Amino acid sequence: MTPVVEVAAAVLLRADGREFLLAQRPAGKVYAGYWEFPGGKVEAGENIRAALVRELQEELGITATACTPWLTRQFTYPHATVRLNFWRVTAWEGEIGLSAPLEHSAVIWQECGAATQVSPILPANGPILKALRLPTTMAITLAESAGVERQLQRLETALADGLGLIQLRDKGLPPAQRWQFAEAVLRLARAADALVVINDDADLARRVNADGLHLSSAALAACSVRPDFAWVGASCHTVDEIARAGQLELDYALLGPVLPTPSHPENPGLGWAEFTRRSAGNTLPVFALGGLSHDLLTAAQTAGAHGIALMRGW
């Protein structure tokens, strides 16, 4: 059996989260000229974080001061099978290439939501580039209880404040009303360049030309192939469900509830330690869900989440 090489890979993000760094492999190395996320092999006795810090010091001349686990991908190249442990790096000391010579041929900052300006990209990094287009906050609609007009007004305000991802839920609305609500949400979202996924209704998603489909855990269990949408995610509660979403090459998962919620205050939730355990080694971005608010985004990402999904706090 071919041994798996553990690799620490750094997704360096500017302070506003809008740009990330790519580095070009130098001449003389395997895949010379290809672009990648900086990082390298985890040495014996090192943990992922220590390897990440060391590699960034050696390759870019910076010291990472804020980094959090994100997702893990395994890829087989002709020369090796590697497990890439991607961590987001959001703060560092030093300036790239100034305190130490670059080990790469070049580096470039790229916009998270745009097509990359360089090529070729290492084959393993395709899903990572797409994941970087995914906003870190998801709003889940509650028009059934809040009222359609009030929910649309609230969405308009949130979109103006930068909301980039909406899950249209409201499965209890009459079909015609849900369709009209979905069309109204899409109009608002398109004007703000935000993504909209429809919960558990592929026909409605196609009818309103939504960006994607969100699967319930029951729909995920019944799914044998990835639905044919640009963006597909799923609600998960267990390690096995997250693994299943990864096997289907879905784009994200929701995991929760993490904390007590207004609808179920008696349920203490998973807590952050259990959230980390269940999402560890995930191959796709995982949103934390349940009892959260905007001010808990950093706590969620420290626990390994891509971001947060909010039903009431958005």
Side-chain angles (χ1 to χ4, degrees):
M1 185 174 180
T2 305
V4 176
V5 179
E6 295 287 349
V7 172
V11 181
L12 272 77
L13 294 163
R14 290 197 190 275
D16 60 8
R18 295 180 180 176
E19 292 184 321
F20 63 93
L21 187 90
L22 287 176
Q24 188 177 38
R25 293 178 66 83
K29 284 197 173 184
V30 178
Y31 284 96
Y34 278 71
W35 292 83
E36 65 177 355
F37 294 93
K41 181 181 176 181
V42 179
E43 302 293 348
E46 278 187 320
N47 59 35
I48 303 298
R49 191 185 191 285
L52 191 79
V53 171
R54 175 182 54 75
E55 288 287 345
L56 290 178
Q57 289 171 336
E58 294 173 356
E59 293 187 4
L60 301 178
I62 60 173
T63 299
T65 56
C67 49
T68 54
W70 185 33
L71 50 86
T72 303
R73 304 285 300 190
Q74 187 162 306
F75 195 85
T76 300
Y77 290 102
H79 67 288
T81 296
V82 297
R83 182 159 42 237
L84 296 149
N85 300 275
F86 289 93
W87 282 48
R88 287 183 294 196
V89 180
T90 52
W92 56 89
E93 295 176 349
E95 293 189 47
I96 294 170
L98 290 186
S99 58
L102 288 173
E103 288 194 5
H104 297 88
S105 299
V107 296
I108 189 171
W109 289 97
Q110 299 283 279
E111 187 179 346
C112 289
T116 54
Q117 301 170 15
V118 293
S119 65
I121 306 288
L122 276 183
N125 291 326
I128 309 306
L129 296 174
K130 185 176 183 181
L132 282 167
R133 295 166 50 196
L134 196 64
T136 55
T137 298
M138 170 190 283
I140 302 174
T141 63
L142 285 173
E144 290 176 72
S145 57
V148 169
E149 289 304 319
R150 188 174 176 185
Q151 192 81 157
L152 290 173
Q153 291 171 0
R154 187 177 171 198
L155 270 175
E156 191 168 13
T157 300
L159 288 165
D161 290 339
L163 177 67
L165 177 59
I166 302 164
Q167 181 198 145
L168 192 142
R169 198 166 182 270
D170 301 302
K171 292 184 282 188
L173 288 177
Q177 189 178 18
R178 193 182 189 213
W179 171 38
Q180 292 170 352
F181 178 55
E183 288 194 319
V185 169
L186 260 295
R187 283 195 296 272
L188 292 175
R190 291 289 179 264
D193 198 26
L195 300 172
V196 177
V197 294
I198 306 293
N199 187 301
D200 255 4
D201 192 333
D203 290 339
L204 178 60
R206 293 189 182 95
R207 188 176 185 183
V208 300
N209 196 28
D211 300 288
L213 182 69
H214 181 88
L215 304 174
S216 65
S217 56
L220 173 65
C223 193
S224 58
V225 295
R226 175 193 163 98
D228 187 20
F229 290 91
W231 294 92
V232 184
S235 293
C236 299
H237 305 285
T238 67
V239 173
D240 288 343
E241 286 177 342
I242 294 176
R244 179 62 179 157
Q247 290 164 2
L248 291 169
E249 292 291 332
L250 303 193
D251 299 301
Y252 68 86
L254 267 58
L255 176 61
V258 179
L259 301 176
T261 64
S263 57
H264 298 286
E266 75 286 352
N267 183 348
L270 300 174
W272 291 118
E274 181 62 13
F275 177 91
T276 297
R277 188 192 73 80
R278 294 191 190 187
S279 62
N282 53 288
T283 63
L284 73 174
V286 177
F287 287 86
L289 169 71
L292 305 181
S293 56
H294 286 290
D295 60 356
L296 290 174
L297 176 59
T298 298
Q301 292 180 330
T302 300
H306 171 79
I308 52 177
L310 307 174
M311 296 188 74
R312 293 174 175 82
W314 52 269

